[in-house]
């Protein structure tokens, strides 16, 4: 019966991706440009990379994104082992820790605009970065399941807040 529960989770997730693909495929977009020829692709990529490098803020955001993803995924890659060995949680407990992180991300998705209005753009980038560091230190210093759940909530919210702000800035710069 446990296998059935796990299967249902994966089936629901797969169905959500299938529905998303169907919805995206149903979008009608008029093509205003012709597709690139293979010979033009290299020149286009080169021009795009030069444009990225020439824009100081866009370049900084790209570097920040790279470093952030590397650092966070480096820790996340061993999180299941950490939860098992250091916290002693079961598969269900590990799932609950992931739920705490997802709830933090969802909360920031819902209330992020209010947080940005209070903090401003600059601090809405700085505060999550501080949270990234503090949460990682907390995971190492306080291997207590309840604390790790709270840390996960804060980390999930910080990641979403940071993404909302930085992606918005990138999109405005690229327009």
């Amino acid at each position: 019966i446990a296998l059935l529960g796990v299967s249902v989770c994966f089936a629901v997730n797969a169905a959500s991706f299938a529905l998303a693909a169907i919805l995206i495929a149903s979008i009608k977009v008029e093509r205003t440009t012709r597709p690139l020829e293979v010979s033009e692709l290299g020149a286009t990529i080169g021009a795009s990379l030069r444009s990225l490098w020439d824009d100081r803020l866009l370049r900084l955001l790209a570097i920040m994104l790279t470093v952030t993803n590397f650092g966070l995924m480096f820790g996340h890659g061993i999180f299941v082992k950490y939860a098992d060995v250091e916290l002693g949680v079961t598969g269900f407990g590990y799932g609950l820790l992931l739920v705490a992180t997802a709830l933090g991300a969802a909360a920031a998705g819902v209330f992020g605009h209010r947080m940005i209005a209070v903090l401003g753009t600059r601090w809405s980038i700085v505060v999550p970065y501080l949270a990234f560091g503090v949460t990682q230190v907390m995971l190492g210093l306080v291997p207590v399941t309840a604390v790790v759940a709270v840390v996960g909530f804060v980390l999930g919210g910080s990641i979403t807040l940071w993404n909302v702000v930085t992606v918005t800035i990138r999109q405005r710069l690229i327009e």
Side-chain angles (χ1 to χ4, degrees):
I1 206 118
L3 182 60
L4 179 63
V6 170
S7 299
V8 169
C9 292
F10 282 105
V12 168
N13 196 26
S16 73
F17 280 109
L19 177 61
I22 290 167
L23 291 172
I24 290 169
S26 72
I27 297 172
K28 302 292 184 215
V29 178
E30 281 189 39
R31 210 175 257 264
T32 57
T33 59
R34 64 177 175 70
L36 289 177
E37 297 294 326
V38 174
S39 61
E40 298 172 295
L41 189 58
T44 302
I45 291 171
S48 298
L49 289 173
R50 280 188 299 281
S51 178
L52 169 66
W53 193 254
D54 291 343
D55 188 309
R56 186 173 168 256
L57 180 55
L58 200 55
R59 180 179 66 232
L60 177 63
L61 289 172
I63 292 168
M64 289 172 68
L65 175 66
T66 302
V67 170
T68 300
N69 281 342
F70 179 79
L72 291 176
M73 290 303 106
F74 190 71
H76 193 69
I78 61 168
F79 188 67
V80 68
K81 187 75 170 171
Y82 169 82
D84 177 37
V85 173
E86 297 298 321
L87 303 178
V89 300
T90 63
F92 181 76
Y94 176 72
L96 290 177
L97 292 174
L98 295 181
V99 166
T101 303
L103 288 173
V110 172
F111 301 110
H113 67 286
R114 291 183 183 160
M115 295 161 60
I116 294 164
V118 169
L119 294 173
T121 301
R122 178 183 305 268
W123 286 103
S124 294
I125 295 171
V126 172
V127 168
Y129 253 84
L130 294 173
F132 297 158
V134 169
T135 56
Q136 299 309 300
V137 169
M138 292 294 294
L139 290 174
L141 294 179
V142 189
V144 175
T145 306
V147 172
V148 171
V150 171
V151 163
F153 183 88
V154 170
L155 183 59
S158 298
I159 291 168
T160 297
L161 180 63
W162 186 83
N163 274 320
V164 166
V165 175
T166 58
V167 169
T168 299
I169 292 169
R170 283 197 320 257
Q171 291 300 328
R172 287 180 180 162
L173 289 171
I174 292 171
E175 285 185 317

